[in-house]
Amino acid sequence: AAGARPDPLPGVKLSLDQLREQMFHVGAGRRLKPPSWPGGAKVAVGLSFDIDNATATLSTGNLDYEVIWRGEYGGVHGVPRLLRMLERQKVPVSWFVPAVSFELHPLMVKDIQALKVNHEIGMHGWIHVRLPDLHIPIEPVPLGTTPEHFRPGIDPNGVRAKYGLNGAPWLITVARLEWHKGIDTVMRALPAIRRAHPGTRYAVAGVGDRLPQLERLKDELGLGDAVRFLGAVPDRELPALYNAADLYVGVSRRHDLLAEGFGISLVEASACGLAVVGGRSGGVPDAVREGETGILVDPDDPSAVAAGVSELLANPERRKQLGAAGRKAVESYYNWDRVARDLMEIDRRFRSTR
């Protein structure tokens, strides 16, 4: 209508009042008062997780409120407002920007660089190999997990009984049910795996919009009870679930605008002493040390996935070696204490040059 105000959130059907009601933290930027921060701190740290996948999900028409605040609202509206506030206060900030968010909103990084305040930018996941045109130093900080929570030796009998994971061998994937996670590739590889190793079955823990298509694929491939979709598995049960499996498979790939930035479940599996078969794509090689904690395969090729899985299923001693090395890698490197130390060191160096 003539004179109507433009929709501040294009494509989103919630009103601003509804949005504010659902997302109490939308006003966080207005509540920040840097002069009152403890110790006179003058560096803000902006952490941003899963904006990449949420943004792409929103673009498909999924208007779930959680997707909205993690996706377009943060990338298009929240970040610029926070930048303006920090500019007024002359507060530098360390930005950690998810990979696909940058691809969808490339001006986000250049807007940060254009500010008069000297900001630092960290790129989440595999993006650090794709940005030579920015002409800025890139220092990746691989993520981690909690080795006290995810560990070997946890009794798996309870989750075996609950989810029907009797017998062996079991392959497992813990992931959202999205195409870029490569679950369909593992399913296409499974007939060849089962010819080499009869009785092998595949369990997938997670929820997502692709479940109906994956169920149809299971029927088309005639996999029957060789594939089991477990749904949402509580975090408290995940360590036992990893311990119930024989091999972790996480063959994520590029699909449309989606990719694996790192793969937390890969290092969770390593923490539990599982050997890992990962996809040579995105940030997965940052989480899987090829030949040390697992192997990497072409995630777009079911025959390559089948060969890699079959190779490790045929060699229990090799799986044991990879799993033990994975546990050691988590204890020494892929853990949140190391992540915190890395970020603090980057922050220290950043401030020392100002």
Side-chain angles (χ1 to χ4, degrees):
R5 295 175 60 187
D7 183 356
L9 301 173
V12 177
K13 302 308 179 187
L14 294 179
S15 69
L16 283 177
D17 287 340
Q18 289 173 315
L19 197 63
R20 292 189 184 101
E21 188 176 309
Q22 297 271 18
M23 287 147 280
F24 57 87
H25 60 284
V26 164
R30 292 191 295 273
R31 292 195 294 272
L32 288 175
K33 299 184 183 300
S36 68
W37 290 354
K42 282 292 185 180
V43 175
V45 177
L47 292 174
S48 180
F49 295 103
D50 284 341
I51 291 178
D52 45 7
N53 295 324
T55 303
T57 302
L58 183 69
S59 70
T60 67
N62 183 344
L63 300 180
D64 176 80
Y65 75 87
E66 183 182 2
V67 171
I68 292 170
W69 73 255
R70 288 164 63 194
E72 288 290 343
Y73 187 85
V76 177
H77 299 275
V79 169
R81 190 177 69 192
L82 187 56
L83 284 173
R84 290 193 296 271
M85 184 278 294
L86 293 169
E87 180 81 347
R88 289 195 302 271
Q89 299 290 345
K90 295 183 171 58
V91 175
V93 61
S94 295
W95 291 96
F96 297 87
V97 181
V100 181
S101 286
F102 175 81
E103 290 204 347
L104 292 176
H105 308 299
L107 293 180
M108 185 189 301
V109 172
K110 295 194 180 295
D111 286 345
I112 295 171
Q113 289 181 295
L115 294 174
K116 295 177 183 177
V117 175
N118 184 23
H119 294 272
E120 176 186 41
I121 305 171
M123 299 301 171
H124 175 258
W126 51 269
I127 197 167
H128 64 272
V129 301
R130 294 174 54 84
L131 296 176
D133 59 316
L134 285 180
H135 305 295
I136 56 176
I138 301 294
E139 184 168 348
V141 179
L143 303 180
T145 187
T146 309
E148 297 80 14
H149 181 61
F150 294 97
R151 63 188 190 277
I154 295 175
D155 184 0
N157 289 328
V159 296
R160 283 188 182 277
K162 180 176 179 178
Y163 297 106
L165 304 179
N166 300 314
W170 278 98
L171 314 177
I172 189 170
T173 296
V174 178
R176 294 188 310 280
L177 305 186
E178 298 289 349
W179 293 130
H180 73 289
K181 295 295 186 178
I183 296 164
D184 58 313
T185 309
V186 182
M187 292 171 64
R188 296 180 193 280
L190 200 54
I193 295 169
R194 285 167 60 82
R195 285 193 293 272
H197 302 278
T200 301
R201 287 179 284 178
Y202 180 39
V204 182
V207 296
D209 297 336
R210 305 306 174 192
L211 178 59
Q213 294 99 314
L214 292 171
E215 291 276 17
R216 285 197 296 271
L217 179 62
K218 181 177 78 167
D219 293 340
E220 291 169 7
L221 295 172
L223 294 172
D225 64 358
V227 174
R228 180 157 299 171
F229 296 105
L230 308 183
V233 175
D235 186 67
R236 66 180 181 277
E237 293 180 353
L238 284 177
L241 186 65
Y242 288 119
N243 276 266
D246 297 273
L247 185 63
Y248 188 86
V249 186
V251 291
S252 298
R253 62 181 185 239
R254 288 294 302 272
H255 181 82
D256 292 334
L257 291 173
L258 298 178
E260 192 70 73
F262 177 72
I264 294 291
S265 59
L266 296 165
V267 292
E268 289 177 351
S270 289
C272 292
L274 269 184
V276 174
V277 176
R280 191 179 285 105
S281 175
V284 173
D286 288 338
V288 180
R289 296 175 177 174
E290 186 166 19
E292 180 183 342
T293 67
I295 63 174
L296 298 173
V297 298
D298 182 350
D300 293 305
D301 183 358
S303 63
V305 174
V309 169
S310 296
E311 173 192 340
L312 292 185
L313 287 180
N315 193 338
E317 186 58 32
R318 178 65 171 146
R319 293 204 312 274
K320 184 177 178 180
Q321 291 172 351
L322 294 171
R327 174 65 191 181
K328 184 177 180 181
V330 170
E331 290 176 339
S332 62
Y333 186 76
Y334 294 112
N335 58 73
W336 294 120
D337 288 342
R338 191 272 311 161
V339 172
R341 288 195 302 270
D342 283 0
L343 294 176
M344 291 169 67
E345 172 59 19
I346 291 171
D347 176 65
R348 184 195 65 77
R349 294 200 309 266
F350 172 62
R351 284 188 285 175
S352 68
T353 60
R354 301 193 69 250

